[in-house]
């Protein structure tokens, strides 16, 4: 692994633990010689993790859609900042550079980006590890929803288990290092009706 893509909020959230987790993950990435790929902004938890990696001498790649965000949102303290034309281009370029994907607490954008990469993994488009850094149990309701989708027959248990969860950045990255993809032989569809 060379780069980890991190999805997280452009706000800091209400708990100081979220900010500390962003700093800790940035420090852990740097300690392991891993670069950061992220959304290119300087606001919120996005800015905190980028600053944490960059100020420690690590490599930071930002990808931000031009004309979608005010220019002052873009972070100039990065190794490389790519400006792209759309959110779709942003997600594709981030996925291209990343060797794994982590979501920290965030909002709709974080959910969207993480679930798109999860869906790509489910479909066999990539076989990279995906993790939730479950700080202060932020993702517990989401994990409950995923369990409900499994129970109701909309998600296979094997696909739900592709999501690695941890409360500590070091534990999550250890799990990424030990990750063995298993989604290649698991069909998304339980049954396919006859034509």
């Amino acid at each position: 692994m060379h780069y980890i893509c991190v999805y997280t909020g452009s706000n800091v959230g209400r708990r100081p633990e979220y900010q500390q987790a962003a700093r800790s993950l940035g420090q852990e990435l740097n300690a392991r010689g891993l670069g950061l790929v992220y959304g290119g902004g300087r606001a919120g938890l996005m800015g905190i993790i980028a600053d944490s990696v960059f100020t420690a001498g690590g490599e930071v790649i930002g990808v931000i859609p031009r004309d979608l965000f005010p220019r002052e949102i873009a972070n100039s303290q990065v190794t490389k900042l790519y400006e792209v034309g759309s959110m779709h281009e942003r997600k594709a370029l981030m996925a291209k550079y990343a060797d794994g994907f982590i979501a920290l607490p965030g909002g709709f954008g974080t959910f969207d980006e993480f679930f798109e990469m999860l869906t790509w993994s489910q479909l066999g488009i990539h076989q990279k590890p995906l993790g939730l850094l479950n700080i202060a149990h932020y993702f517990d309701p989401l994990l409950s929803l995923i369990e409900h989708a499994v129970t109701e027959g909309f998600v296979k248990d094997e696909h739900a288990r592709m999501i690695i969860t941890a409360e500590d950045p070091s534990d999550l990255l250890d799990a990424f290092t030990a990750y063995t993809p298993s989604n290649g032989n698991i069909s998304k569809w339980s049954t396919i009706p006859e034509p």
Side-chain angles (χ1 to χ4, degrees):
M1 279 194 274
H2 301 288
Y3 295 97
I4 299 295
C5 180
V6 176
Y7 305 122
T8 191
S10 57
N11 293 304
V12 295
R14 292 191 172 146
R15 296 175 183 262
E17 294 97 318
Y18 301 149
Q19 296 175 53
Q20 182 54 47
R23 286 187 198 94
S24 296
L25 178 57
Q27 291 163 0
E28 191 64 31
L29 289 173
N30 195 60
R32 294 172 185 241
L34 296 170
L36 170 69
V37 178
Y38 86 116
R42 62 181 177 86
L45 297 183
M46 284 177 36
I48 290 172
I49 189 168
D51 289 346
S52 178
V53 174
F54 189 77
T55 58
E59 190 168 358
V60 177
I61 297 173
V63 184
I64 194 164
R66 75 178 70 83
D67 302 328
L68 191 58
F69 297 105
R71 304 269 319 152
E72 63 270 13
I73 293 284
N75 192 347
S76 60
Q77 297 295 308
V78 294
T79 310
K80 179 71 178 168
L81 182 65
Y82 292 97
E83 290 189 13
V84 295
S86 69
M87 290 293 286
H88 296 294
E89 290 177 65
R90 176 197 219 181
K91 289 187 278 190
L93 189 56
M94 291 167 78
K96 176 184 171 183
Y97 278 107
D99 299 303
F101 307 91
I102 293 175
L104 270 73
F108 292 147
T110 300
F111 300 149
D112 168 59
E113 291 170 321
F114 182 80
F115 272 104
E116 184 158 350
M117 289 306 105
L118 180 60
T119 302
W120 287 12
S121 183
Q122 180 188 41
L123 295 173
I125 295 171
H126 75 78
Q127 295 190 349
K128 302 171 184 179
L130 296 115
L132 298 174
L133 193 54
N134 196 15
I135 302 303
H137 302 281
Y138 179 79
F139 288 111
D140 283 1
L142 182 62
L143 292 168
S144 293
L145 176 61
I146 292 167
E147 287 177 19
H148 180 65
V150 170
T151 300
E152 294 299 314
F154 290 100
V155 173
K156 289 188 175 180
D157 185 57
E158 296 90 344
H159 291 142
R161 284 190 274 121
M162 291 188 306
I163 303 170
I164 302 166
T165 61
E167 296 177 20
D168 178 78
S170 180
D171 293 341
L172 188 58
L173 290 171
D174 284 347
F176 271 38
T177 301
Y179 177 76
T180 303
S182 61
N183 56 322
N185 299 327
I186 305 166
S187 172
K188 177 196 178 313
W189 295 274
S190 299
T191 58
I192 299 176
E194 295 292 327

